[in-house]
Amino acid sequence: DGGITQSPKYLFRKEGQNVTLSCEQNLNHDAMYWYRQDPGQGLRLIYYSQIVNDFQKGDIAEGYSVSREKKESFPLTVTSAQKNPTAFYLCASSPGSAPGTQYFGPGTRLTVL
Amino acid sequence: GQQLNQSPQSMFIQEGEDVSMNCTSSSIFNTWLWYKQDPGEGPVLLIALYKAGELTSNGRLTAQFGITRKDSFLNISASIPSDVGIYFCAGPYTGTASKLTFGTGTRLQVTL
């Protein structure tokens, strides 16, 4: 079954700890994205990667880091520098052949205590 | 930056009613996308529009790419309870198809 997986679905961490969210896709898509969603709001872009070993900052990259060592994987680390890390995090991928079209994973809800 | 404004912000309708929502921008878009998000889940792509004036259907859903390229509309006919969710419009940033800007969403609730 092709798709995007994010794990875990729910994540709890203590304040001051770094935490890494997983995103894997088996769609053979070149581009991958991380978004943050806060209650009642739209999606804001954190980081994106159009090709392996390359990534760019989105609109709210401060306090986050990513890597893209494999085409299938795009993990996001929420660092202790992120002031308000509690949010719903969504990963997406895009084939590039259909302009702008992105497909989303099920999301990870991060709660920092 | 580019902003997408969606209206209405929320709506309550009765099962069986038709629904209309829209998305507007001060900038021109070459692609319009409509997504639906169920509570606690990732958005699912409903319809993609690539040409001004284009009208595309997906079951009971119909979306249109506005002639001015600054707006798009989504209609749902004969709503059912599973239509509940948040509907987002989205479009690529100017100059790059690889980044999307999203509207703030229209929350739809359907009563029996």
Side-chain angles (χ1 to χ4, degrees), chain A residues 9 33 35 37 42 45 48 50 59 88 90 98-106, chain B residues 31 33 35 37 40-43 45 50 88 92-93 97-100 102-103:
Chain A
K9 182 67 175 175
Y33 308 80
Y35 292 89
Q37 186 177 32
L45 183 65
Y48 66 107
Q50 294 180 269
D59 301 317
F88 190 47
L90 288 158
T101 306
Q102 295 181 16
Y103 299 89
F104 286 83
Chain B
T31 299
L33 305 167
Y35 288 86
Q37 185 178 29
E41 300 295 330
L45 181 64
Y50 298 108
F88 290 102
Y93 279 44
S98 61
K99 291 168 59 178
L100 292 179
F102 283 83

PDB file of all heavy atoms in Angstrom, chain A residues 9 33 35 37 42 45 48 50 59 88 90 98-106, chain B residues 31 33 35 37 40-43 45 50 88 92-93 97-100 102-103:
ATOM      1  N   LYS A   9       1.622   8.713  16.624  1.00  0.00           N
ATOM      2  CA  LYS A   9       0.435   9.545  16.448  1.00  0.00           C
ATOM      3  C   LYS A   9       0.356  10.615  17.549  1.00  0.00           C
ATOM      4  O   LYS A   9      -0.025  11.750  17.292  1.00  0.00           O
ATOM      5  CB  LYS A   9      -0.823   8.665  16.509  1.00  0.00           C
ATOM      6  CG  LYS A   9      -2.130   9.437  16.288  1.00  0.00           C
ATOM      7  CD  LYS A   9      -2.239   9.960  14.874  1.00  0.00           C
ATOM      8  CE  LYS A   9      -3.598  10.615  14.642  1.00  0.00           C
ATOM      9  NZ  LYS A   9      -3.679  11.245  13.305  1.00  0.00           N
ATOM     10  N   TYR A  33       7.615  17.734   2.799  1.00  0.00           N
ATOM     11  CA  TYR A  33       7.319  18.975   3.510  1.00  0.00           C
ATOM     12  C   TYR A  33       6.934  18.683   4.961  1.00  0.00           C
ATOM     13  O   TYR A  33       6.354  17.635   5.248  1.00  0.00           O
ATOM     14  CB  TYR A  33       6.124  19.700   2.857  1.00  0.00           C
ATOM     15  CG  TYR A  33       6.261  19.904   1.376  1.00  0.00           C
ATOM     16  CD1 TYR A  33       5.984  18.863   0.484  1.00  0.00           C
ATOM     17  CD2 TYR A  33       6.667  21.127   0.865  1.00  0.00           C
ATOM     18  CE1 TYR A  33       6.120  19.043  -0.874  1.00  0.00           C
ATOM     19  CE2 TYR A  33       6.803  21.311  -0.496  1.00  0.00           C
ATOM     20  CZ  TYR A  33       6.522  20.261  -1.362  1.00  0.00           C
ATOM     21  OH  TYR A  33       6.663  20.437  -2.711  1.00  0.00           O
ATOM     22  N   TYR A  35       4.665  20.673   8.019  1.00  0.00           N
ATOM     23  CA  TYR A  35       3.788  21.773   8.381  1.00  0.00           C
ATOM     24  C   TYR A  35       3.449  21.692   9.871  1.00  0.00           C
ATOM     25  O   TYR A  35       3.425  20.616  10.462  1.00  0.00           O
ATOM     26  CB  TYR A  35       2.464  21.709   7.613  1.00  0.00           C
ATOM     27  CG  TYR A  35       2.575  21.962   6.143  1.00  0.00           C
ATOM     28  CD1 TYR A  35       2.819  20.917   5.253  1.00  0.00           C
ATOM     29  CD2 TYR A  35       2.419  23.240   5.629  1.00  0.00           C
ATOM     30  CE1 TYR A  35       2.911  21.137   3.895  1.00  0.00           C
ATOM     31  CE2 TYR A  35       2.505  23.476   4.264  1.00  0.00           C
ATOM     32  CZ  TYR A  35       2.740  22.416   3.409  1.00  0.00           C
ATOM     33  OH  TYR A  35       2.831  22.639   2.064  1.00  0.00           O
ATOM     34  N   GLN A  37       0.279  22.871  12.507  1.00  0.00           N
ATOM     35  CA  GLN A  37      -1.104  23.335  12.558  1.00  0.00           C
ATOM     36  C   GLN A  37      -1.484  23.561  14.007  1.00  0.00           C
ATOM     37  O   GLN A  37      -1.361  22.666  14.846  1.00  0.00           O
ATOM     38  CB  GLN A  37      -2.050  22.323  11.916  1.00  0.00           C
ATOM     39  CG  GLN A  37      -3.478  22.826  11.814  1.00  0.00           C
ATOM     40  CD  GLN A  37      -4.379  21.843  11.102  1.00  0.00           C
ATOM     41  OE1 GLN A  37      -4.194  20.634  11.179  1.00  0.00           O
ATOM     42  NE2 GLN A  37      -5.371  22.355  10.380  1.00  0.00           N
ATOM     43  N   GLY A  42      -4.833  27.450   9.912  1.00  0.00           N
ATOM     44  CA  GLY A  42      -4.382  26.746   8.729  1.00  0.00           C
ATOM     45  C   GLY A  42      -3.008  26.135   8.935  1.00  0.00           C
ATOM     46  O   GLY A  42      -2.499  26.057  10.057  1.00  0.00           O
ATOM     47  N   LEU A  45       4.179  26.327   6.867  1.00  0.00           N
ATOM     48  CA  LEU A  45       5.298  25.529   6.387  1.00  0.00           C
ATOM     49  C   LEU A  45       6.531  25.719   7.270  1.00  0.00           C
ATOM     50  O   LEU A  45       6.968  26.843   7.500  1.00  0.00           O
ATOM     51  CB  LEU A  45       5.616  25.922   4.943  1.00  0.00           C
ATOM     52  CG  LEU A  45       6.719  25.152   4.240  1.00  0.00           C
ATOM     53  CD1 LEU A  45       6.336  23.692   4.071  1.00  0.00           C
ATOM     54  CD2 LEU A  45       7.007  25.789   2.877  1.00  0.00           C
ATOM     55  N   TYR A  48      11.026  22.323   3.848  1.00  0.00           N
ATOM     56  CA  TYR A  48      10.709  21.462   2.734  1.00  0.00           C
ATOM     57  C   TYR A  48      11.985  21.034   2.024  1.00  0.00           C
ATOM     58  O   TYR A  48      13.033  21.675   2.149  1.00  0.00           O
ATOM     59  CB  TYR A  48       9.731  22.118   1.756  1.00  0.00           C
ATOM     60  CG  TYR A  48      10.241  23.322   1.017  1.00  0.00           C
ATOM     61  CD1 TYR A  48      10.564  23.251  -0.333  1.00  0.00           C
ATOM     62  CD2 TYR A  48      10.366  24.555   1.646  1.00  0.00           C
ATOM     63  CE1 TYR A  48      11.004  24.364  -1.031  1.00  0.00           C
ATOM     64  CE2 TYR A  48      10.811  25.670   0.966  1.00  0.00           C
ATOM     65  CZ  TYR A  48      11.120  25.571  -0.376  1.00  0.00           C
ATOM     66  OH  TYR A  48      11.565  26.684  -1.056  1.00  0.00           O
ATOM     67  N   GLN A  50      13.247  19.344  -1.789  1.00  0.00           N
ATOM     68  CA  GLN A  50      12.869  18.971  -3.155  1.00  0.00           C
ATOM     69  C   GLN A  50      13.706  17.819  -3.678  1.00  0.00           C
ATOM     70  O   GLN A  50      13.367  17.206  -4.704  1.00  0.00           O
ATOM     71  CB  GLN A  50      13.000  20.176  -4.076  1.00  0.00           C
ATOM     72  CG  GLN A  50      11.998  21.277  -3.734  1.00  0.00           C
ATOM     73  CD  GLN A  50      12.136  22.484  -4.646  1.00  0.00           C
ATOM     74  OE1 GLN A  50      12.873  23.413  -4.337  1.00  0.00           O
ATOM     75  NE2 GLN A  50      11.432  22.485  -5.754  1.00  0.00           N
ATOM     76  N   ASP A  59       8.272  29.089   6.380  1.00  0.00           N
ATOM     77  CA  ASP A  59       7.922  30.356   7.016  1.00  0.00           C
ATOM     78  C   ASP A  59       8.213  30.402   8.515  1.00  0.00           C
ATOM     79  O   ASP A  59       8.349  31.468   9.093  1.00  0.00           O
ATOM     80  CB  ASP A  59       6.435  30.642   6.791  1.00  0.00           C
ATOM     81  CG  ASP A  59       6.093  30.720   5.309  1.00  0.00           C
ATOM     82  OD1 ASP A  59       6.879  31.343   4.566  1.00  0.00           O
ATOM     83  OD2 ASP A  59       5.072  30.160   4.905  1.00  0.00           O
ATOM     84  N   PHE A  88       0.002  20.257  16.216  1.00  0.00           N
ATOM     85  CA  PHE A  88      -0.229  19.107  15.347  1.00  0.00           C
ATOM     86  C   PHE A  88       0.727  19.265  14.164  1.00  0.00           C
ATOM     87  O   PHE A  88       0.724  20.301  13.496  1.00  0.00           O
ATOM     88  CB  PHE A  88      -1.687  19.115  14.889  1.00  0.00           C
ATOM     89  CG  PHE A  88      -2.134  17.880  14.180  1.00  0.00           C
ATOM     90  CD1 PHE A  88      -1.849  16.621  14.693  1.00  0.00           C
ATOM     91  CD2 PHE A  88      -2.864  17.961  13.013  1.00  0.00           C
ATOM     92  CE1 PHE A  88      -2.283  15.465  14.051  1.00  0.00           C
ATOM     93  CE2 PHE A  88      -3.302  16.811  12.356  1.00  0.00           C
ATOM     94  CZ  PHE A  88      -3.006  15.565  12.877  1.00  0.00           C
ATOM     95  N   LEU A  90       2.249  17.960  10.538  1.00  0.00           N
ATOM     96  CA  LEU A  90       1.866  17.220   9.341  1.00  0.00           C
ATOM     97  C   LEU A  90       3.012  17.157   8.360  1.00  0.00           C
ATOM     98  O   LEU A  90       3.672  18.160   8.088  1.00  0.00           O
ATOM     99  CB  LEU A  90       0.665  17.889   8.670  1.00  0.00           C
ATOM    100  CG  LEU A  90      -0.661  17.736   9.404  1.00  0.00           C
ATOM    101  CD1 LEU A  90      -1.627  18.829   9.006  1.00  0.00           C
ATOM    102  CD2 LEU A  90      -1.256  16.367   9.116  1.00  0.00           C
ATOM    103  N   ALA A  98       2.555  16.964 -10.925  1.00  0.00           N
ATOM    104  CA  ALA A  98       1.301  17.722 -10.880  1.00  0.00           C
ATOM    105  C   ALA A  98       1.579  18.971 -10.064  1.00  0.00           C
ATOM    106  O   ALA A  98       1.764  18.893  -8.859  1.00  0.00           O
ATOM    107  CB  ALA A  98       0.207  16.891 -10.221  1.00  0.00           C
ATOM    108  N   PRO A  99       1.637  20.129 -10.685  1.00  0.00           N
ATOM    109  CA  PRO A  99       2.082  21.346 -10.002  1.00  0.00           C
ATOM    110  C   PRO A  99       1.388  21.613  -8.689  1.00  0.00           C
ATOM    111  O   PRO A  99       0.168  21.710  -8.649  1.00  0.00           O
ATOM    112  CB  PRO A  99       1.773  22.443 -11.017  1.00  0.00           C
ATOM    113  CG  PRO A  99       1.778  21.771 -12.325  1.00  0.00           C
ATOM    114  CD  PRO A  99       1.267  20.385 -12.078  1.00  0.00           C
ATOM    115  N   GLY A 100       2.158  21.704  -7.621  1.00  0.00           N
ATOM    116  CA  GLY A 100       1.643  22.092  -6.321  1.00  0.00           C
ATOM    117  C   GLY A 100       0.959  20.998  -5.557  1.00  0.00           C
ATOM    118  O   GLY A 100       0.708  21.149  -4.366  1.00  0.00           O
ATOM    119  N   THR A 101       0.614  19.902  -6.177  1.00  0.00           N
ATOM    120  CA  THR A 101      -0.180  18.880  -5.488  1.00  0.00           C
ATOM    121  C   THR A 101       0.635  18.188  -4.413  1.00  0.00           C
ATOM    122  O   THR A 101       1.722  17.677  -4.688  1.00  0.00           O
ATOM    123  CB  THR A 101      -0.676  17.834  -6.492  1.00  0.00           C
ATOM    124  OG1 THR A 101      -1.351  18.505  -7.545  1.00  0.00           O
ATOM    125  CG2 THR A 101      -1.619  16.868  -5.826  1.00  0.00           C
ATOM    126  N   GLN A 102       0.118  18.186  -3.192  1.00  0.00           N
ATOM    127  CA  GLN A 102       0.784  17.540  -2.082  1.00  0.00           C
ATOM    128  C   GLN A 102      -0.172  16.563  -1.409  1.00  0.00           C
ATOM    129  O   GLN A 102      -1.374  16.813  -1.328  1.00  0.00           O
ATOM    130  CB  GLN A 102       1.258  18.581  -1.056  1.00  0.00           C
ATOM    131  CG  GLN A 102       2.328  19.512  -1.605  1.00  0.00           C
ATOM    132  CD  GLN A 102       2.804  20.527  -0.593  1.00  0.00           C
ATOM    133  OE1 GLN A 102       2.582  20.403   0.615  1.00  0.00           O
ATOM    134  NE2 GLN A 102       3.480  21.566  -1.069  1.00  0.00           N
ATOM    135  N   TYR A 103       0.419  15.488  -0.912  1.00  0.00           N
ATOM    136  CA  TYR A 103      -0.336  14.443  -0.227  1.00  0.00           C
ATOM    137  C   TYR A 103       0.180  14.339   1.199  1.00  0.00           C
ATOM    138  O   TYR A 103       1.389  14.321   1.422  1.00  0.00           O
ATOM    139  CB  TYR A 103      -0.196  13.113  -0.970  1.00  0.00           C
ATOM    140  CG  TYR A 103      -0.733  13.187  -2.373  1.00  0.00           C
ATOM    141  CD1 TYR A 103       0.087  13.578  -3.429  1.00  0.00           C
ATOM    142  CD2 TYR A 103      -2.064  12.906  -2.629  1.00  0.00           C
ATOM    143  CE1 TYR A 103      -0.416  13.687  -4.709  1.00  0.00           C
ATOM    144  CE2 TYR A 103      -2.574  12.999  -3.915  1.00  0.00           C
ATOM    145  CZ  TYR A 103      -1.736  13.398  -4.951  1.00  0.00           C
ATOM    146  OH  TYR A 103      -2.245  13.503  -6.218  1.00  0.00           O
ATOM    147  N   PHE A 104      -0.766  14.245   2.152  1.00  0.00           N
ATOM    148  CA  PHE A 104      -0.413  14.356   3.556  1.00  0.00           C
ATOM    149  C   PHE A 104      -0.427  13.028   4.299  1.00  0.00           C
ATOM    150  O   PHE A 104      -1.198  12.112   3.976  1.00  0.00           O
ATOM    151  CB  PHE A 104      -1.391  15.312   4.259  1.00  0.00           C
ATOM    152  CG  PHE A 104      -1.146  16.748   3.923  1.00  0.00           C
ATOM    153  CD1 PHE A 104      -1.665  17.309   2.766  1.00  0.00           C
ATOM    154  CD2 PHE A 104      -0.370  17.537   4.760  1.00  0.00           C
ATOM    155  CE1 PHE A 104      -1.429  18.636   2.449  1.00  0.00           C
ATOM    156  CE2 PHE A 104      -0.131  18.865   4.456  1.00  0.00           C
ATOM    157  CZ  PHE A 104      -0.662  19.412   3.288  1.00  0.00           C
ATOM    158  N   GLY A 105       0.406  12.965   5.334  1.00  0.00           N
ATOM    159  CA  GLY A 105       0.358  11.874   6.283  1.00  0.00           C
ATOM    160  C   GLY A 105      -0.718  12.128   7.327  1.00  0.00           C
ATOM    161  O   GLY A 105      -1.374  13.171   7.304  1.00  0.00           O
ATOM    162  N   PRO A 106      -0.885  11.195   8.279  1.00  0.00           N
ATOM    163  CA  PRO A 106      -1.950  11.313   9.284  1.00  0.00           C
ATOM    164  C   PRO A 106      -1.649  12.283  10.410  1.00  0.00           C
ATOM    165  O   PRO A 106      -2.534  12.611  11.190  1.00  0.00           O
ATOM    166  CB  PRO A 106      -2.063   9.894   9.821  1.00  0.00           C
ATOM    167  CG  PRO A 106      -0.717   9.309   9.612  1.00  0.00           C
ATOM    168  CD  PRO A 106      -0.189   9.912   8.350  1.00  0.00           C
TER     169      PRO A 106
ATOM    170  N   THR B  31      -2.812  27.503  -9.997  1.00  0.00           N
ATOM    171  CA  THR B  31      -3.368  26.223  -9.559  1.00  0.00           C
ATOM    172  C   THR B  31      -4.170  26.472  -8.297  1.00  0.00           C
ATOM    173  O   THR B  31      -3.742  27.252  -7.438  1.00  0.00           O
ATOM    174  CB  THR B  31      -2.241  25.204  -9.251  1.00  0.00           C
ATOM    175  OG1 THR B  31      -1.482  24.971 -10.429  1.00  0.00           O
ATOM    176  CG2 THR B  31      -2.807  23.891  -8.732  1.00  0.00           C
ATOM    177  N   LEU B  33      -6.133  24.190  -5.229  1.00  0.00           N
ATOM    178  CA  LEU B  33      -6.329  22.865  -4.659  1.00  0.00           C
ATOM    179  C   LEU B  33      -7.341  22.969  -3.530  1.00  0.00           C
ATOM    180  O   LEU B  33      -7.345  23.944  -2.775  1.00  0.00           O
ATOM    181  CB  LEU B  33      -5.009  22.318  -4.102  1.00  0.00           C
ATOM    182  CG  LEU B  33      -3.829  22.271  -5.092  1.00  0.00           C
ATOM    183  CD1 LEU B  33      -2.533  22.011  -4.354  1.00  0.00           C
ATOM    184  CD2 LEU B  33      -4.057  21.207  -6.149  1.00  0.00           C
ATOM    185  N   TYR B  35      -8.700  20.763  -0.184  1.00  0.00           N
ATOM    186  CA  TYR B  35      -8.451  19.652   0.722  1.00  0.00           C
ATOM    187  C   TYR B  35      -9.552  19.586   1.775  1.00  0.00           C
ATOM    188  O   TYR B  35     -10.135  20.604   2.141  1.00  0.00           O
ATOM    189  CB  TYR B  35      -7.125  19.845   1.476  1.00  0.00           C
ATOM    190  CG  TYR B  35      -5.873  19.671   0.657  1.00  0.00           C
ATOM    191  CD1 TYR B  35      -5.333  20.727  -0.062  1.00  0.00           C
ATOM    192  CD2 TYR B  35      -5.208  18.445   0.619  1.00  0.00           C
ATOM    193  CE1 TYR B  35      -4.169  20.560  -0.805  1.00  0.00           C
ATOM    194  CE2 TYR B  35      -4.042  18.278  -0.111  1.00  0.00           C
ATOM    195  CZ  TYR B  35      -3.533  19.340  -0.821  1.00  0.00           C
ATOM    196  OH  TYR B  35      -2.369  19.176  -1.545  1.00  0.00           O
ATOM    197  N   GLN B  37     -10.044  18.056   5.780  1.00  0.00           N
ATOM    198  CA  GLN B  37      -9.361  17.494   6.943  1.00  0.00           C
ATOM    199  C   GLN B  37     -10.387  17.029   7.971  1.00  0.00           C
ATOM    200  O   GLN B  37     -11.192  17.829   8.456  1.00  0.00           O
ATOM    201  CB  GLN B  37      -8.414  18.522   7.566  1.00  0.00           C
ATOM    202  CG  GLN B  37      -7.578  17.959   8.709  1.00  0.00           C
ATOM    203  CD  GLN B  37      -6.605  18.977   9.275  1.00  0.00           C
ATOM    204  OE1 GLN B  37      -6.855  20.177   9.246  1.00  0.00           O
ATOM    205  NE2 GLN B  37      -5.484  18.508   9.802  1.00  0.00           N
ATOM    206  N   GLY B  40      -8.232  15.448  13.743  1.00  0.00           N
ATOM    207  CA  GLY B  40      -7.095  14.626  14.141  1.00  0.00           C
ATOM    208  C   GLY B  40      -6.407  13.880  13.019  1.00  0.00           C
ATOM    209  O   GLY B  40      -5.552  13.023  13.283  1.00  0.00           O
ATOM    210  N   GLU B  41      -6.731  14.207  11.779  1.00  0.00           N
ATOM    211  CA  GLU B  41      -6.138  13.519  10.639  1.00  0.00           C
ATOM    212  C   GLU B  41      -5.455  14.516   9.711  1.00  0.00           C
ATOM    213  O   GLU B  41      -5.611  15.735   9.850  1.00  0.00           O
ATOM    214  CB  GLU B  41      -7.210  12.749   9.850  1.00  0.00           C
ATOM    215  CG  GLU B  41      -7.939  11.675  10.661  1.00  0.00           C
ATOM    216  CD  GLU B  41      -6.998  10.555  11.075  1.00  0.00           C
ATOM    217  OE1 GLU B  41      -6.017  10.281  10.345  1.00  0.00           O
ATOM    218  OE2 GLU B  41      -7.239   9.945  12.149  1.00  0.00           O
ATOM    219  N   GLY B  42      -4.706  13.989   8.734  1.00  0.00           N
ATOM    220  CA  GLY B  42      -4.093  14.860   7.745  1.00  0.00           C
ATOM    221  C   GLY B  42      -5.089  15.231   6.659  1.00  0.00           C
ATOM    222  O   GLY B  42      -6.054  14.513   6.409  1.00  0.00           O
ATOM    223  N   PRO B  43      -4.888  16.370   6.001  1.00  0.00           N
ATOM    224  CA  PRO B  43      -5.776  16.772   4.900  1.00  0.00           C
ATOM    225  C   PRO B  43      -5.715  15.784   3.746  1.00  0.00           C
ATOM    226  O   PRO B  43      -4.664  15.212   3.458  1.00  0.00           O
ATOM    227  CB  PRO B  43      -5.234  18.140   4.480  1.00  0.00           C
ATOM    228  CG  PRO B  43      -4.450  18.625   5.656  1.00  0.00           C
ATOM    229  CD  PRO B  43      -3.876  17.393   6.282  1.00  0.00           C
ATOM    230  N   LEU B  45      -6.569  15.432  -0.356  1.00  0.00           N
ATOM    231  CA  LEU B  45      -6.811  16.208  -1.569  1.00  0.00           C
ATOM    232  C   LEU B  45      -8.136  15.785  -2.199  1.00  0.00           C
ATOM    233  O   LEU B  45      -8.379  14.602  -2.456  1.00  0.00           O
ATOM    234  CB  LEU B  45      -5.665  15.991  -2.567  1.00  0.00           C
ATOM    235  CG  LEU B  45      -5.772  16.748  -3.878  1.00  0.00           C
ATOM    236  CD1 LEU B  45      -5.702  18.255  -3.637  1.00  0.00           C
ATOM    237  CD2 LEU B  45      -4.654  16.315  -4.830  1.00  0.00           C
ATOM    238  N   TYR B  50      -6.380  23.522 -12.648  1.00  0.00           N
ATOM    239  CA  TYR B  50      -5.156  24.024 -13.272  1.00  0.00           C
ATOM    240  C   TYR B  50      -5.387  25.098 -14.327  1.00  0.00           C
ATOM    241  O   TYR B  50      -4.418  25.632 -14.882  1.00  0.00           O
ATOM    242  CB  TYR B  50      -4.395  22.863 -13.915  1.00  0.00           C
ATOM    243  CG  TYR B  50      -3.954  21.821 -12.925  1.00  0.00           C
ATOM    244  CD1 TYR B  50      -4.563  20.572 -12.877  1.00  0.00           C
ATOM    245  CD2 TYR B  50      -2.931  22.078 -12.012  1.00  0.00           C
ATOM    246  CE1 TYR B  50      -4.162  19.611 -11.953  1.00  0.00           C
ATOM    247  CE2 TYR B  50      -2.522  21.127 -11.090  1.00  0.00           C
ATOM    248  CZ  TYR B  50      -3.151  19.890 -11.076  1.00  0.00           C
ATOM    249  OH  TYR B  50      -2.759  18.944 -10.167  1.00  0.00           O
ATOM    250  N   PHE B  88      -9.992  23.173   3.220  1.00  0.00           N
ATOM    251  CA  PHE B  88      -8.943  24.150   2.961  1.00  0.00           C
ATOM    252  C   PHE B  88      -8.756  24.334   1.463  1.00  0.00           C
ATOM    253  O   PHE B  88      -8.744  23.368   0.709  1.00  0.00           O
ATOM    254  CB  PHE B  88      -7.596  23.682   3.531  1.00  0.00           C
ATOM    255  CG  PHE B  88      -7.515  23.669   5.024  1.00  0.00           C
ATOM    256  CD1 PHE B  88      -7.631  22.483   5.738  1.00  0.00           C
ATOM    257  CD2 PHE B  88      -7.297  24.842   5.734  1.00  0.00           C
ATOM    258  CE1 PHE B  88      -7.548  22.455   7.119  1.00  0.00           C
ATOM    259  CE2 PHE B  88      -7.205  24.833   7.120  1.00  0.00           C
ATOM    260  CZ  PHE B  88      -7.331  23.643   7.808  1.00  0.00           C
ATOM    261  N   PRO B  92      -0.069  27.284  -5.075  1.00  0.00           N
ATOM    262  CA  PRO B  92       1.395  27.389  -5.035  1.00  0.00           C
ATOM    263  C   PRO B  92       1.862  28.833  -4.889  1.00  0.00           C
ATOM    264  O   PRO B  92       1.253  29.749  -5.449  1.00  0.00           O
ATOM    265  CB  PRO B  92       1.834  26.838  -6.391  1.00  0.00           C
ATOM    266  CG  PRO B  92       0.645  26.156  -6.966  1.00  0.00           C
ATOM    267  CD  PRO B  92      -0.540  26.835  -6.397  1.00  0.00           C
ATOM    268  N   TYR B  93       2.957  29.024  -4.145  1.00  0.00           N
ATOM    269  CA  TYR B  93       3.584  30.327  -4.050  1.00  0.00           C
ATOM    270  C   TYR B  93       3.957  30.805  -5.461  1.00  0.00           C
ATOM    271  O   TYR B  93       4.333  30.017  -6.318  1.00  0.00           O
ATOM    272  CB  TYR B  93       4.884  30.223  -3.245  1.00  0.00           C
ATOM    273  CG  TYR B  93       4.734  30.222  -1.753  1.00  0.00           C
ATOM    274  CD1 TYR B  93       3.761  29.469  -1.120  1.00  0.00           C
ATOM    275  CD2 TYR B  93       5.614  30.945  -0.944  1.00  0.00           C
ATOM    276  CE1 TYR B  93       3.650  29.451   0.258  1.00  0.00           C
ATOM    277  CE2 TYR B  93       5.523  30.927   0.427  1.00  0.00           C
ATOM    278  CZ  TYR B  93       4.534  30.175   1.030  1.00  0.00           C
ATOM    279  OH  TYR B  93       4.429  30.151   2.384  1.00  0.00           O
ATOM    280  N   ALA B  97       6.258  26.131  -7.775  1.00  0.00           N
ATOM    281  CA  ALA B  97       5.122  25.227  -7.581  1.00  0.00           C
ATOM    282  C   ALA B  97       5.351  24.307  -6.405  1.00  0.00           C
ATOM    283  O   ALA B  97       4.484  23.531  -6.046  1.00  0.00           O
ATOM    284  CB  ALA B  97       4.916  24.398  -8.841  1.00  0.00           C
ATOM    285  N   SER B  98       6.535  24.398  -5.787  1.00  0.00           N
ATOM    286  CA  SER B  98       6.861  23.420  -4.765  1.00  0.00           C
ATOM    287  C   SER B  98       6.378  23.821  -3.381  1.00  0.00           C
ATOM    288  O   SER B  98       6.400  23.019  -2.469  1.00  0.00           O
ATOM    289  CB  SER B  98       8.366  23.188  -4.726  1.00  0.00           C
ATOM    290  OG  SER B  98       9.037  24.392  -4.412  1.00  0.00           O
ATOM    291  N   LYS B  99       5.956  25.057  -3.185  1.00  0.00           N
ATOM    292  CA  LYS B  99       5.450  25.496  -1.891  1.00  0.00           C
ATOM    293  C   LYS B  99       4.003  25.915  -2.038  1.00  0.00           C
ATOM    294  O   LYS B  99       3.635  26.566  -3.003  1.00  0.00           O
ATOM    295  CB  LYS B  99       6.260  26.692  -1.379  1.00  0.00           C
ATOM    296  CG  LYS B  99       7.688  26.357  -0.984  1.00  0.00           C
ATOM    297  CD  LYS B  99       8.521  27.599  -0.761  1.00  0.00           C
ATOM    298  CE  LYS B  99       7.960  28.500   0.303  1.00  0.00           C
ATOM    299  NZ  LYS B  99       8.824  29.687   0.538  1.00  0.00           N
ATOM    300  N   LEU B 100       3.193  25.533  -1.064  1.00  0.00           N
ATOM    301  CA  LEU B 100       1.791  25.890  -1.073  1.00  0.00           C
ATOM    302  C   LEU B 100       1.486  26.888   0.034  1.00  0.00           C
ATOM    303  O   LEU B 100       2.053  26.819   1.113  1.00  0.00           O
ATOM    304  CB  LEU B 100       0.911  24.659  -0.836  1.00  0.00           C
ATOM    305  CG  LEU B 100       0.855  23.589  -1.928  1.00  0.00           C
ATOM    306  CD1 LEU B 100      -0.057  22.460  -1.489  1.00  0.00           C
ATOM    307  CD2 LEU B 100       0.391  24.185  -3.245  1.00  0.00           C
ATOM    308  N   PHE B 102      -1.867  28.043   2.281  1.00  0.00           N
ATOM    309  CA  PHE B 102      -3.166  27.488   2.624  1.00  0.00           C
ATOM    310  C   PHE B 102      -4.085  28.576   3.157  1.00  0.00           C
ATOM    311  O   PHE B 102      -3.645  29.496   3.850  1.00  0.00           O
ATOM    312  CB  PHE B 102      -3.022  26.404   3.696  1.00  0.00           C
ATOM    313  CG  PHE B 102      -2.518  25.105   3.163  1.00  0.00           C
ATOM    314  CD1 PHE B 102      -1.157  24.902   2.972  1.00  0.00           C
ATOM    315  CD2 PHE B 102      -3.376  24.081   2.837  1.00  0.00           C
ATOM    316  CE1 PHE B 102      -0.673  23.708   2.460  1.00  0.00           C
ATOM    317  CE2 PHE B 102      -2.907  22.879   2.335  1.00  0.00           C
ATOM    318  CZ  PHE B 102      -1.553  22.691   2.139  1.00  0.00           C
ATOM    319  N   GLY B 103      -5.380  28.426   2.864  1.00  0.00           N
ATOM    320  CA  GLY B 103      -6.370  29.266   3.502  1.00  0.00           C
ATOM    321  C   GLY B 103      -6.571  28.831   4.946  1.00  0.00           C
ATOM    322  O   GLY B 103      -6.034  27.809   5.382  1.00  0.00           O
TER     323      GLY B 103
END
